[in-house]
């Protein structure tokens, strides 16, 4: 038989799936994959039921039901003072994942370069490659995760078509500073590049950090496509409802890709998400506060277990340095080790770096990511297991806090 397409088949099963499988096999508490273990607002589920029984269940309009497109435009105005025309600037997609794929397929020509920032979310590079693009990585390193102008400068060239940014950033938990966003805007202008802004964690920011879309920067409304996800904003990851905001010309191009990918998204879910986006400010503040409490809860437990816990400014992930636990191996070994022996699962941070970069080029291999959007009892049980496991197993707590210059 003839070979299948080589680009996507060359990628292994994602680390999320691999570690979740191992967690299932060993009955361990899964703090690897990033999904809440409690559903979002019951009122939104009721809207789904009502819409499913009371409204047609046929193809809705290709760009999304008007109610949701209007709600996305109003949400842009309310939170970011962005003036958006719901008719030709908003597109509803089947999750942020489809929005991202549609952007790559719509904008990238074979041979175009696309700047990505490592650690990088797992769907970006496969889709860039499938669209014929060439990923140009810029690396962020723990514990600072600082974006340097030199690194950006060496990644951009006259062949750069696009830069993909994710803020708040999964897995680093970083919220880009205004200085960093300004720098990205300047490079995008200088090289006439599009900016695809993955902002799925836009409402999950802590300690007074503020999420500011790059689209609000001068001139950037013409270059940016801003992507949101109901999965994250309403804790309904299984719904797979995403939405993007773009200038009309880019919107038209991305809508073409969407037309041939999924064409549309279940209408009853769209109606519920419209209602969600129209919620009053208390809802969004409540989400932020509840996640912040969970962050602090797990952070305290991991500290007690001996991890070096890095600050998380946003998202629902904590990055931890494993050397302080006394473990003598890399992050992948560590995640297997604690899944099998301590009954808790995390994800190795090296999985978020491009393979050709990880091997022998100094990418960090002693940090792991824990997800904290879980019930308090689950977070407490995970902490207890880790606290009782590490002192028992290895008592050395002598390793220094992470120092980027020592990363092997
Ligand atoms: N981007 C990032 C950074 C994510 O963390 C996720 C979900 N884990 C997605 C995109 C995909 O979102 P969705 O489920 O809406 O497709």
């Amino acid at each position: 038989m003839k070979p299948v397409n080589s680009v996507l088949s060359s990628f292994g099963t994602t680390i999320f799936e691999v570690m979740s499988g191992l967690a299932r096999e060993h009955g361990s508490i899964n703090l690897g994959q990033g999904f809440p273990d409690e559903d979002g607002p019951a009122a939104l589920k009721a809207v789904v039921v009502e819409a499913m029984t009371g409204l047609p269940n046929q193809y809705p309009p290709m760009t999304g039901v008007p109610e949701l497109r209007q709600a996305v435009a109003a949400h842009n105005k309310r939170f970011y003072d962005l003036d958006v025309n719901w008719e030709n600037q908003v597109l509803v997609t089947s999750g942020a994942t489809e929005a991202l794929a549609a952007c790559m397929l719509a904008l990238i020509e074979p041979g175009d370069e696309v700047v990505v920032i490592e650690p990088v979310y797992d769907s970006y590079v496969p889709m860039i490659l499938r669209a014929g693009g060439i990923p140009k990585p810029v690396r962020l390193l723990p514990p600072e995760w600082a974006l340097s102008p030199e690194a950006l400068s060496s990644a951009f060239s006259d062949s750069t078509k696009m830069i993909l940014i994710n803020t708040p950033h999964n897995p680093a938990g970083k919220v880009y500073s205004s200085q960093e966003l300004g720098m990205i805007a300047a490079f995008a202008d200088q090289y006439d590049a599009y900016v695809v802004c993955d902002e799925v964690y836009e409402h999950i920011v802590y300690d007074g950090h503020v999420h500011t879309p790059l689209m609000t920067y001068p001139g950037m409304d013409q270059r940016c496509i801003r992507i949101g996800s109901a999965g994250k904003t309403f804790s309904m990851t299984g719904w797979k409802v995403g939405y993007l905001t773009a200038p009309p010309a880019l919107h038209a191009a991305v809508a073409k890709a969407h037309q041939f990918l999924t064409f549309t998204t279940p209408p009853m879910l769209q109606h519920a998400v419209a209602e969600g986006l129209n919620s009053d400010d208390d809802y969004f503040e409540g989400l932020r506060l509840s996640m912040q409490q969970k962050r602090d809860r797990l952070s305290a437990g991991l500290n007690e277990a001996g991890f070096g816990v890095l600050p998380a400014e946003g998202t629902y992930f904590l990055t931890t340095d494993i050397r302080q636990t006394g473990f003598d191996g890399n992050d992948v070994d560590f995640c297997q080790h604690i899944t099998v022996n301590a009954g808790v699962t995390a994800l190795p941070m090296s999985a978020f770096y491009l393979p050709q970069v990880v091997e022998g080029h100094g990418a960090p291999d002693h940090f792991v990511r824990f997800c904290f959007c879980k019930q308090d009892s689950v977070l407490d049980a995970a902490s207890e297991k880790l606290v009782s496991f590490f002192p028992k197993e290895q008592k050395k707590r002598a390793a220094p806090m992470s120092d980027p210059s020592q990363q092997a």
Side-chain angles (χ1 to χ4, degrees):
M1 295 237 277
K2 288 178 179 160
V4 298
N5 175 270
S6 59
V7 179
L8 297 184
S9 56
S10 70
F11 286 88
T13 310
T14 72
I15 189 71
F16 305 101
E17 209 37 52
V18 172
M19 291 311 302
S20 290
L22 199 65
R24 275 193 298 275
E25 193 185 320
H26 292 275
S28 87
I29 299 177
N30 189 357
L31 302 186
Q33 206 167 4
F35 60 89
D37 61 358
E38 283 177 304
D39 286 350
L44 298 192
K45 291 188 187 179
V47 177
V48 175
V49 174
E50 230 172 84
M52 193 158 67
T53 49
L55 293 172
N57 285 265
Q58 308 307 326
Y59 296 132
M62 191 265 279
T63 55
V65 301
E67 291 83 350
L68 178 50
R69 284 184 285 151
Q70 286 159 1
V72 171
H75 172 270
N76 273 307
K77 181 73 185 165
R78 169 162 49 141
F79 288 98
Y80 311 117
D81 201 24
L82 280 168
D83 288 307
V84 169
N85 180 337
W86 68 270
E87 290 187 272
N88 63 2
Q89 290 192 256
V90 177
L91 179 70
V92 178
T93 57
S94 292
T97 309
E98 196 225 336
L100 287 159
C103 289
M104 322 274 190
L105 295 175
L107 305 179
I108 297 171
E109 291 283 355
D112 284 343
E113 294 181 358
V114 180
V115 178
V116 290
I117 296 178
E118 297 176 289
V120 63
Y121 182 65
D122 74 334
S123 79
Y124 297 179
V125 170
M127 289 313 298
I128 292 168
L129 292 173
R130 193 64 190 88
I134 302 165
K136 291 285 175 182
V138 169
R139 189 184 292 178
L140 304 183
L141 288 174
E144 280 93 11
W145 306 114
L147 180 64
S148 86
E150 294 77 24
L152 276 178
S153 173
S154 54
F156 270 87
S157 79
D158 291 337
S159 305
T160 305
K161 175 63 86 57
M162 176 195 289
I163 173 169
L164 247 162
I165 64 167
N166 171 217
T167 184
H169 186 280
N170 169 17
K174 169 194 174 77
V175 176
Y176 281 71
S177 68
S178 56
Q179 185 252 338
E180 289 169 322
L181 291 174
M183 204 159 67
I184 293 167
F187 276 98
D189 260 339
Q190 184 184 342
Y191 289 94
D192 186 21
Y194 300 122
V195 192
V196 173
C197 305
D198 179 343
E199 300 180 15
V200 298
Y201 299 101
E202 61 188 319
H203 288 292
I204 308 180
V205 290
Y206 310 123
D207 307 326
H209 285 280
V210 175
H211 168 69
T212 309
L214 189 64
M215 194 175 244
T216 62
Y217 280 57
M220 286 296 113
D221 55 343
Q222 296 309 306
R223 298 198 173 281
C224 288
I225 299 180
R226 191 178 106 67
I227 298 173
S229 167
K232 311 296 173 187
T233 297
F234 302 108
S235 301
M236 305 285 202
T237 57
W239 285 10
K240 296 296 282 189
V241 179
Y243 29 87
L244 64 80
T245 306
L250 297 186
H251 176 271
V254 178
K256 284 275 164 63
H258 166 70
Q259 169 172 284
F260 300 124
L261 273 171
T262 59
F263 184 74
T264 190
T265 299
M268 64 296 261
L269 300 179
Q270 294 194 47
H271 285 289
V273 174
E275 188 117 334
L277 285 174
N278 291 332
S279 305
D280 56 28
D281 291 356
D282 289 352
Y283 169 75
F284 299 94
E285 183 61 7
L287 173 72
R288 200 184 69 68
L289 282 177
S290 110
M291 289 300 169
Q292 184 165 307
Q293 278 160 9
K294 289 180 185 297
R295 177 200 64 173
D296 294 343
R297 198 172 190 105
L298 184 63
S299 187
L302 292 173
N303 257 315
E304 203 189 329
F307 289 82
V309 183
L310 270 50
E313 301 168 346
T315 77
Y316 31 61
F317 305 108
L318 279 171
T319 302
T320 58
D321 189 331
I322 59 176
R323 289 177 300 177
Q324 288 88 333
T325 65
F327 182 76
D328 195 17
N330 69 22
D331 56 349
V332 176
D333 298 339
F334 182 86
C335 289
Q336 282 165 355
H337 177 62
I338 60 168
T339 299
V340 174
N341 300 310
V344 180
T345 298
L347 285 186
M349 198 58 88
S350 61
F352 294 86
Y353 286 78
L354 303 190
Q356 65 271 34
V357 181
V358 172
E359 282 161 23
H361 289 79
D365 67 355
H366 53 267
F367 289 89
V368 304
R369 186 194 85 171
F370 287 92
C371 170
F372 55 80
C373 56
K374 307 291 178 189
Q375 293 172 56
D376 288 351
S377 58
V378 173
L379 297 177
D380 291 348
S383 294
E384 275 161 31
K385 280 174 185 279
L386 291 169
V387 167
S388 63
F389 180 69
F390 279 106
K392 225 185 333 152
E393 196 180 68
Q394 290 160 331
K395 287 206 159 50
K396 6 174 201 155
R397 293 269 178 92
M401 259 307 279
S402 75
D403 170 354
S405 65
Q406 294 181 4
Q407 278 149 11

